[in-house]
Amino acid sequence: MIFTSISQGLKGELTVPGDKSISHRAVMFGSLAQGTTSVTHFLKGADCLSTIQCFRKLGVSIEEKEDRLLIHGKGLHGLQEPSGWLDTGNSGTTTRLISGILAGQTFSTTLNGDASIQSRPMGRIIKPLEHMGAQIISLRQNGCAPLQITGAPLQGISYASPVASAQVKSAVLLAGLYADGITSVTEPALSRDHTERMLESFGARIHVQPETCTASVEPDPVLLGQEIRVPGDISSAAYFIAAACIVPNSEVLIRQVGINPTRAGILQVCKAMGADITLVNESSKEGEPVADLLVRSSSLSGTVIEGAMIPTLIDELPILAVMACFAKGVTIIRDAAELKVKESNRIDAMVENLSAMGAQITATEDGMIVEGGRALQGAVIDSRLDHRIAMSFAVAALQALGETKIKGASCVEISYPGFYEDLKSLSV
Ligand code: S3P
């Protein structure tokens, strides 16, 4: 797909699709609840559709209506053995969270996904789940999918996770629903807490100690179907925040975006960089805070992004690297080695592609260093079929000289069907 720079500012309003993390969890917890869960503003991206297909195969009836998803839950112990293997597509969240659920069933399941999923580390969930008593085999003995999971009686554990990962935390807490006692997870820094918030709203007994980054779950709750309105995904809004900041004469209003503090690190970093963002219309929807974001063109400065901030903006680091190219001075991203094990190695993908556009960017062991202020040139970009890389470069292309060609651009379907149309709608 070919992109060119634009000469006028971005103007207008938009509503980004529903939050990907929350959409996955709505399907999963709705499936384990008694009664019907109704979900509006559900993200119909390929990743969340993978979650729907997996739960359908586990015997859950899920209706896709025009304006909502209806999940007819089976209760905590009502899933059925699937007739074949479960396809988790490109979705790490589906693969890891469902593994926690499957560990506590009375049947055996095989999970597999695409080439990216087959190279992502699953040892991080296999280890704690085995510690609880689960039987999980990496069929190629490489710590990756395909995984064969045989349900077993589980014991509650206190797990100190070496990584701040909501996927690891959630897999262990979900297995904890089936354990014989309390299950706790302590992380080195607080990762997104959508599982804790939503499980509690379904009726689970959850205890959180933010000061020690610990979350615990009591076993065998009665989960009851809920009405959920999914907030706009801040990870999707991030591309429009960046675009409005870097394109002169822009003013964009992004409506009803989730601003959960464990997800909204980008807002803090943007503020530190001097971005002109105003939060309006703040409210709370089913335990998740939301706001409209008014973003105007900004004169940006470099910053340091590190430490406990990293898990709160992990998926936004590629687009922040693009913003850093338009900032005065140096931006340092560190403590972010997790970027190497996302849908692609995002350190390599950003450094290779931004360098091709003429940016001054260096890879480090756990991040990147960007020296802002160099004009970007159009280039051929390899998205590595990673949705966040493709969207980041569609934004970079808005301010690059000449044409930018993004290979594999349609991979944005994973998290944002209609992304290019929405971006275009702001430039007319
Ligand atoms: C997610 C957690 C994050 C994030 C991913 C979605 C989730 O992964 O990168 O896109 O929904 O729990 P990790 O938990 O592995 O950091």
Side-chain angles (χ1 to χ4, degrees):
M1 205 178 234
I2 308 282
F3 297 82
T4 48
S5 63
I6 52 167
S7 45
Q8 78 281 39
L10 297 171
K11 301 268 182 213
E13 299 184 11
L14 84 159
T15 304
V16 293
D19 186 278
K20 182 156 79 72
S21 294
I22 296 176
S23 295
H24 280 299
R25 286 161 174 79
V27 174
M28 295 183 183
F29 306 168
S31 296
L32 300 181
Q34 294 175 8
T36 298
T37 291
S38 163
V39 190
T40 53
H41 205 50
F42 178 81
L43 169 62
K44 289 190 177 172
D47 265 12
C48 300
L49 297 179
S50 293
T51 294
I52 291 182
Q53 286 309 338
C54 288
F55 279 88
R56 281 187 175 142
K57 280 198 154 184
L58 290 163
V60 182
S61 154
I62 301 175
E63 292 179 77
E64 287 175 66
K65 303 274 191 201
E66 186 62 36
D67 66 331
R68 67 190 55 226
L69 198 67
L70 292 177
I71 305 152
H72 302 290
K74 289 285 194 181
L76 200 57
H77 301 283
L79 298 181
Q80 289 158 16
E81 180 163 9
S83 53
W85 60 281
L86 300 185
D87 184 358
T88 59
N90 187 246
S91 175
T93 307
T94 312
T95 310
R96 296 199 177 107
L97 270 60
I98 209 172
S99 295
I101 295 171
L102 294 173
Q105 303 304 313
T106 51
F107 51 80
S108 179
T109 325
T110 302
L111 290 182
N112 202 3
D114 67 8
S116 157
I117 276 296
Q118 289 178 29
S119 66
R120 295 185 67 184
M122 294 297 152
R124 54 180 59 196
I125 54 149
I126 295 175
K127 191 173 160 228
L129 293 175
E130 277 183 344
H131 192 40
M132 296 177 80
Q135 293 173 28
I136 306 184
I137 301 171
S138 161
L139 291 174
R140 295 194 189 119
Q141 294 173 353
N142 60 356
C144 301
L147 301 178
Q148 190 188 66
I149 304 179
T150 305
L154 302 179
Q155 294 103 51
I157 59 167
S158 292
Y159 184 60
S161 174
V163 278
S165 159
Q167 294 181 356
V168 172
K169 172 173 62 178
S170 303
V172 176
L173 292 176
L174 287 168
L177 298 175
Y178 297 93
D180 65 356
I182 291 191
T183 297
S184 311
V185 182
T186 300
E187 316 179 79
L190 196 57
S191 67
R192 64 191 66 189
D193 64 0
H194 305 302
T195 293
E196 297 90 305
R197 287 175 189 247
M198 199 190 286
L199 265 184
E200 186 160 48
S201 75
F202 272 83
R205 291 173 301 274
I206 302 280
H207 309 279
V208 291
Q209 288 174 291
E211 58 296 345
T212 57
C213 303
T214 302
S216 314
V217 65
E218 292 182 30
D220 215 19
V222 175
L223 303 178
L224 296 175
Q226 299 295 311
E227 296 251 332
I228 297 172
R229 166 150 180 101
V230 182
D233 196 326
I234 192 163
S235 300
S236 298
Y239 304 100
F240 300 101
I241 294 173
C245 284
I246 67 171
V247 176
N249 302 315
S250 295
E251 182 170 317
V252 173
L253 182 72
I254 316 166
R255 290 202 180 281
Q256 295 298 285
V257 179
I259 52 162
N260 176 325
T262 62
R263 281 291 296 286
I266 185 173
L267 298 180
Q268 269 171 269
V269 168
C270 281
K271 199 169 165 202
M273 294 177 86
D276 183 351
I277 305 179
T278 312
L279 268 60
V280 278
N281 218 356
E282 284 187 58
S283 68
S284 178
K285 297 256 161 62
E286 291 97 31
E288 290 282 349
V290 295
D292 297 344
L293 309 179
L294 179 63
V295 191
R296 298 193 184 93
S297 315
S298 309
S299 153
L300 301 172
S301 315
T303 189
V304 179
I305 312 173
E306 61 183 349
M309 174 72 75
I310 295 293
T312 71
L313 45 63
I314 187 73
D315 292 338
E316 288 66 77
L317 288 169
I319 189 63
L320 282 166
V322 171
M323 283 177 80
C325 294
F326 294 90
K328 208 186 280 165
V330 176
T331 293
I332 299 170
I333 299 171
R334 58 166 85 102
D335 305 322
E338 277 293 296
L339 286 176
K340 295 180 186 170
V341 291
K342 293 295 177 188
E343 285 84 328
S344 70
N345 179 332
R346 288 180 175 162
I347 296 180
D348 284 359
M350 290 313 294
V351 171
E352 179 190 296
N353 287 313
L354 277 175
S355 299
M357 294 182 92
Q360 183 63 50
I361 178 166
T362 319
T364 62
E365 256 318 293
D366 63 352
M368 302 165 239
I369 300 172
V370 184
E371 224 180 290
R374 276 220 199 166
L376 297 188
Q377 322 283 329
V380 177
I381 302 300
D382 181 358
S383 71
R384 301 182 180 208
L385 302 181
D386 182 332
H387 53 133
R388 303 217 183 275
I389 302 300
M391 290 189 276
S392 296
F393 283 93
V395 172
L398 296 172
Q399 284 298 284
L401 228 63
E403 270 184 9
T404 296
K405 181 179 175 191
I406 302 181
K407 293 201 279 181
S410 63
C411 65
V412 303
E413 293 288 322
I414 290 292
S415 65
Y416 199 150
F419 171 73
Y420 299 117
E421 292 78 1
D422 280 0
L423 190 58
K424 204 164 172 212
S425 76
L426 299 175
S427 57
V428 286

